[in-house]
Structure formats: structure tokens, C-alpha cells
Amino acid sequence: MTYRKWLLAFLGSLAVTAVLVGGFNYVVDPFGVFGDKVLKWHSYNMVNNPRVAKIGYLDQHHERYNSYVIGGSKSGSISPELLNKYYGDDAKFYSMLMYGGDFHDYEKTLTYIIDHYKPKNIVLHMSMQEISHYNEKATDFKQSLHAKVKGEPLLPFYLKYLTLNPTYGYTKLEGLGKHAVDSFEYSQFIPETGVYNKVKRDAEKIDDLEDYMARNKAAFAPFGKLEATALDKNVASLARMKAYTESRGVTFRLISGATSVQELQSYKPEALKEYWRKIAEVTDFWDFSGYTAVSGDPRYFYDTMHYRNSVGRMMLGYIFKDEEVYVPKGFGHYTTKANVVKHAEQVFTKPKEVAAAAANAASSLKVPILVYHHIDDDPYEPNALITPPEKFKSDMLAVKQAGYNTVSLQQLIAYVDGKGTLPDKPLVLTFDDGYYSNYEYAYPLYKELGMKATISVIGWSMGRTEHRLEGKNFYRHFTWDEAREMAESGLIDIQNHSVDLHETEPNEYYKRKGVLPNDGESTGAYARAFSEDVQQMAGEIESRIGNTVNVYTYPFGYYSHLSEQVLMDLGYRVTLTTKSGISKVVKGDPRSLFGLMRINAGPEVKSEDLVKLLGA
């Protein structure tokens, strides 16, 4: 073969290879640059690079939408469907969330959307980490903007994706096989709305904080310090975006997302205060960042950086005054240049309890809590919640002989608040329901031994000798006068066990399971119903006995993250569950008094074994 023929053959083979590679990349389209018209797996493309893939998707489907959310990954918890509901006027929102977004990318995206898709509304979502970066050049291939958005020539851009390493396409084809087996594989995005697919994460159990953190501890590690190197560039970009939208008749709304305590440790508070002051000079905005009612509770977050979809619903509920959405007290603020200085000082100054909790976490104190119910020699039938009088007396003598010192829950609150000390080997005694046997057997013994206890009472059963449902077994409950006598002794603290939430199944008087929400019940409706019962019972106790009601004992131990938040917002300091174990309380950390575990001192536990459990 002559050199000329060899060269032509070589060049021909290169051309064929280029055509094959280009055709492969066009058909498989792993980044959705060409609209993914064959495989139409837009979710996969958006996982690879949402900045590029969403433009490829919207260029085909933008007529379905007339409003957009623009922001980084946190903005994925702002629901387009809810925005459609709240905005009304036939609003059809789409989320342009992007990984590692900053104001440079937000501005380019906003300008492109307005110029090419002619929207009615823009919601700009900002986090706080943008304060440290304004990248005019992509730092990663998977975070680059589409050439249309950047205003750059299209031919080089498309050629780059046509000549991609084929491994990108092969990986997508492999992903199709995995996706066929598990529909969640490579489905982190919902293409029709542009948000993350959080079905699995939102289904995980979060009510038990200890359990949640045991499963997700690594997700909440603080990250490095972030300096305010892009502060002024961001503010200038924000001013341009607001002016651009309004000059073209598009509504503009700025929202700052919720932040966790772990994330807040990455910033200098003074830089954040300055940032907020400058932002408020540009536009009023809805602020959910800083130290708030949710920042210190990891259950409101998927990880250090990302708040849950439920928090996004609360944010929108606050903005649009939706009474069907429960919003924690102190969460949310409409920030203007008139109030920003005071507001920024408040939300970016670390609360004393946050600093104290961090300082004292390693020196948490184990405090065992015993729970009893009825004391009786002659029950209708054997019951783990009914303790014979002799067994009860044996328990009390055993714990006293073992050196345990009973303390009230009010003493425990004072200890956590840094206003009191606890004796060696502190022990809390609790009784649930308000049985007359507590007055008949426990109260005299406590006067004799100098021991303290908390009795949580049920409102409807106070003083009753028979159940309100005919034929149902019932044990006599003490009266309000007897409760007052015990309280006035200084040994017994009377606390809240609900007026009428102490049933496991709905009946003619009762409509829910413990304090849990009913199926389909909105968070707002639930919070109102639960709060009404809680406050009614507290009012009864305070008016009839005179003590402060700040402890809530969950009927049957049923509780939820929402019930904990409602009680916290109502000013409660302690909640008691029936989860078995010994809780740790932390001086300076009020949250450590919520969801406390207890040990059931039932008839089947020998007194000497009970003492061993207290030291576990």
C-alpha cells in the first residue's frame, strides 16, 4: 500500500470513528444537550449536569411553564406545585436548581429564561455559602453552563459534546439496566418539575432524634470556614437581576433558605450581618436563615447543607400565610432595610444555649427515670403496668439503699438551665394517668422516705370511679383536691398527660391515636387541635393546683417530631416517652430534655434487678 493510500485509509477511518462517536453521543446524549430525543431519560441527564440538561429539556417543553425558581441545591425543597397554588393566576413553576450554584450562574440563567421563555414570575433562592464564591468560569465540567445561557458560540459547544469520551454514554446505557431493576437508580431529579426526587428520604423515620442521628451522624459534620470573598459581587449581581426582571414586567421574590447550626459554624457572623444589610438595600426578602427554631434540630435537615422538603413547605406556608401549615415559633422573617440591622444581629448571633450545648456535650449527665402507673394487689388481670404495693415499697427502699437521690423534673430543668445543681446519683420518679393508688400508696411512702415524684394526669378521668365507656375496666383516679394536697407537700409535681388524648382507638369521645395526627390531617389543623388539648389541661392544673405546667407525658408514649415542636413552641421544657432507656441531659441544652426515655418498673422486674438497670 502506498503512503498516499495508507494516509487516505487512516483519515477515512478517523472520519468514520468521528461519525460513530458523534452519532453515539448524539443518540445517547448523556447530558441532554441535544434534547435526549431518543432515550428521553431526562432525569439521568439532570443528575449529570442540571445546568445544561434543564436547558435541553426546557427548549422542548418551556411552553408548559411560565414561572421559575432559580437557586442552588437547597432550592430543591421549594415545591413548584405549592408555588403554583400560592401564586394562583395559572402559575406554572419550574425549578432551575443547580449543584453548587452561585450568583454568576443565577444571573446568567435568569437572563436567558426571561429573554427566551418570557416568564411571569421569578423566585430567586439564595443560601449563605454563595458568599464565598462567584465563579465566572465553571470549576467542574458537570457544573458548566449551557452555551446559550452564557451567550457563547454554539458550534464549539455542541462539538465538545459530540466528541465526548464515549464512556459517558456507556455509563448512561449501563444505568438504564440498573434503572430497570430499581426505578430510583439515577432518578434523583423529577424532570417535570426540576426538583430532587426525595421520596425515599422523606419517608425515613425522623421522630426519634437519637435514632435519626445514629443513622445520619456523618451527614452532619461541619465543613471548613468560608470567607466572604464574593459578598459585593453577589450584591451587585442581585441588583442587576432584580432590575432586569422588573424592567420586563416579571415579578421578583428573594428567599433565603434555612440553615443548620453545623453550617452556621462556617461563617463569620459579622460578614453575614454585613451581607444581609447590603442585600436589604437592594430588595426586601423572606429570610429563614441563621439561628432559628429549626437550625439546631437535625431532623429538619437531610444533611449539614440541605433542609428537608417539609421545611420548604413551612417556608412557603409562612410567606403565604397558610393556616394549614404549621410553622415553628420564630421561624421566618420579612426582612427590609428598615429592620435588617436588628434582625441580622438576632439571627447571626450564636444563642447562649447553642454555645453551652457544644461546650458541654461531652460531659452529658445520665439521669435514670422510673415510670409507674397503677399500684394494686387485686387487678382485673395480670398487667405489666400494675405494681403490687409490697413490690412498689421494695423498689423504693432498694433505690434509696443503693444511694439514689430522687429529684423533681423541675430540678432537672434548673440544672440544664445552669440555675441549680443535682445530688449524686440523681433519680426521677414518674407516674402516669393519676390513679388513686398513687395517693393511697406512693404519697404516704414518699412522705416517710422524703422522696419526690411527678404525676402526669388525664383531665377527663380526674376523680372518676368508672370509665365513661360502659363496661370497660377502670381503676379509680384521685381527685383535684387530693392532687392539690400532694402538690402542696412539695414532694409531688402534677403535670400534663392530656385532657382527652389517652385512647389507642377512636371512639365516641376520642378521634385520634394518642397525640398522633390523623391520616390526611394538615400540620396546621393538627397543631391547633393538639395545642387546644395541651393548653386546656395546663389551664386546669394551674387554676386548680397553682403549679407551673411545663412537662408533657405522651399518652402511650406516642409522639412525633411535630408534636415535640408544638410543645416546645408552647413553652414546655420536658417531654416524657415510653421508650426504654436512660437519657442524657446536657447543661445549657434545653433540647436534651425532650423525648426523655424511661424505665418501666413493672411487677416482673425484681427490685434488685431494677437497681442494676438504673446504672446501665
Side-chain angles (χ1 to χ4, degrees), residues 55 58 66-70 94-96 106-119 121-122 149 244:
I55 296 301
L58 288 171
N66 60 21
S67 304
Y68 294 86
V69 180
I70 300 174
Y94 190 82
S95 176
M96 294 299 295
Y106 301 161
E107 184 179 355
K108 290 288 185 181
T109 302
L110 177 145
T111 303
Y112 180 81
I113 286 173
I114 291 177
D115 290 347
H116 293 83
Y117 303 153
K118 310 301 179 186
N121 311 291
I122 293 289
V149 174
Y244 201 78

Side-chain angles (χ1 to χ4, degrees), residues 374 376-383 386 435 465-467 471-476:
H374 184 38
D376 197 350
D377 257 331
D378 187 26
Y380 294 118
E381 57 187 21
N383 192 311
I386 300 176
Y435 294 103
T465 58
E466 59 183 26
H467 203 285
K472 188 167 183 178
N473 290 345
F474 189 77
Y475 301 99
R476 178 182 173 185

Side-chain angles (χ1 to χ4, degrees), residues 420-614:
T421 59
L422 294 176
D424 293 337
K425 301 183 74 170
L427 171 67
V428 176
L429 301 175
T430 65
F431 293 80
D432 290 2
D433 302 342
Y435 294 103
Y436 176 75
S437 61
N438 302 168
Y439 175 77
E440 182 181 15
Y441 294 111
Y443 177 48
L445 183 60
Y446 288 165
K447 286 194 291 185
E448 177 186 336
L449 299 177
M451 302 176 83
K452 299 178 180 180
T454 295
I455 304 178
S456 299
V457 297
I458 306 166
W460 76 263
S461 62
M462 290 293 290
R464 292 185 71 106
T465 58
E466 59 183 26
H467 203 285
R468 58 188 176 182
L469 295 176
E470 187 176 350
K472 188 167 183 178
N473 290 345
F474 189 77
Y475 301 99
R476 178 182 173 185
H477 285 56
F478 57 71
T479 67
W480 284 110
D481 286 341
E482 289 159 345
R484 187 183 310 108
E485 177 190 341
M486 289 189 286
E488 288 176 351
S489 72
L491 300 175
I492 307 297
D493 186 22
I494 304 296
Q495 291 293 333
N496 198 336
H497 203 30
S498 85
V499 173
D500 201 5
L501 297 177
H502 202 283
E503 299 286 352
T504 56
E505 297 178 357
N507 55 49
E508 60 185 289
Y509 299 100
Y510 182 81
K511 304 303 179 187
R512 65 179 71 244
K513 182 178 181 179
V515 307
L516 298 179
N518 292 321
D519 291 341
E521 187 175 24
S522 72
T523 58
Y526 166 74
R528 287 190 293 274
F530 181 41
S531 297
E532 182 179 350
D533 185 279
V534 170
Q535 292 174 301
Q536 181 183 345
M537 190 64 204
E540 285 284 304
I541 296 172
E542 289 170 353
S543 63
R544 291 174 179 271
I545 297 177
N547 64 298
T548 299
V549 180
N550 56 8
V551 176
Y552 193 87
T553 302
Y554 285 113
F556 307 103
Y558 302 148
Y559 71 102
S560 68
H561 186 206
L562 179 54
S563 69
E564 292 277 83
Q565 184 65 62
V566 171
L567 289 168
M568 193 176 296
D569 289 345
L570 289 174
Y572 277 71
R573 300 300 311 279
V574 176
T575 62
L576 299 173
T577 73
T578 56
K579 183 179 179 182
S580 183
I582 299 176
S583 296
K584 297 177 182 179
V585 297
V586 179
K587 187 178 291 187
D589 184 6
R591 289 180 184 270
S592 67
L593 291 171
F594 278 74
L596 294 180
M597 297 183 287
R598 297 185 288 173
I599 296 171
N600 181 39
E604 74 284 357
V605 182
K606 294 180 180 180
S607 297
E608 57 267 30
D609 293 335
L610 181 64
V611 171
K612 293 176 183 177
L613 286 175
L614 299 183

Side-chain angles (χ1 to χ4, degrees), residues 60 91 127 213 239 256 258 318 348 353 402 421 432 485 493 524 563:
Q60 299 177 75
S127 306
M213 287 306 294
S256 69
Y318 178 85
F348 295 133
E353 59 266 25
T421 59
D432 290 2
E485 177 190 341
D493 186 22
S563 69

Side-chain angles (χ1 to χ4, degrees), residues 159-342:
L159 283 174
K160 178 174 69 174
Y161 283 90
L162 284 173
T163 57
L164 277 178
N165 188 321
T167 56
Y168 286 110
Y170 295 148
T171 302
K172 183 174 182 178
L173 294 177
E174 288 176 351
L176 278 174
K178 295 178 181 178
H179 183 69
V181 176
D182 182 353
S183 61
F184 282 94
E185 284 286 340
Y186 300 102
S187 294
Q188 292 96 316
F189 277 91
I190 302 173
E192 293 76 16
T193 58
V195 299
Y196 287 127
N197 183 353
K198 293 290 182 62
V199 173
K200 283 189 173 181
R201 291 304 308 270
D202 288 338
E204 66 183 340
K205 296 179 179 180
I206 65 170
D207 296 324
D208 188 316
L209 177 58
E210 183 179 39
D211 175 66
Y212 180 68
M213 287 306 294
R215 288 183 282 111
N216 294 281
K217 186 175 182 179
F220 290 96
F223 50 89
K225 297 294 182 181
L226 296 177
E227 300 296 332
T229 53
L231 189 159
D232 289 325
K233 285 185 177 181
N234 289 347
V235 173
S237 176
L238 174 64
R240 290 192 298 269
M241 284 189 277
K242 184 171 188 289
Y244 201 78
T245 54
E246 293 179 347
S247 69
R248 284 151 179 80
V250 180
T251 70
F252 180 83
R253 187 189 301 270
L254 176 64
I255 299 174
S256 69
T259 44
S260 69
V261 165
Q262 290 84 356
E263 181 186 351
L264 285 163
Q265 297 173 27
S266 298
Y267 309 98
K268 293 179 180 177
E270 292 307 316
L272 293 174
K273 294 171 189 177
E274 179 188 1
Y275 195 20
W276 256 232
R277 288 194 296 270
K278 290 186 175 183
I279 288 171
E281 287 293 327
V282 174
T283 184
D284 299 342
F285 64 105
W286 299 91
D287 186 24
F288 299 91
S289 60
Y291 293 99
T292 66
V294 311
S295 61
D297 188 339
R299 289 170 294 184
Y300 283 119
F301 298 85
Y302 298 114
D303 53 45
T304 296
M305 292 298 298
H306 299 94
Y307 59 84
R308 287 186 166 272
N309 284 348
S310 58
V311 176
R313 288 193 291 273
M314 292 191 304
M315 290 163 57
L316 294 180
Y318 178 85
I319 292 171
F320 293 96
K321 298 179 174 60
D322 188 345
E323 292 186 354
E324 295 307 303
V325 179
Y326 184 73
V327 181
K329 187 177 180 181
F331 183 57
H333 184 266
Y334 186 60
T335 306
T336 70
K337 61 183 177 182
N339 63 35
V340 67
V341 173
K342 180 179 178 181

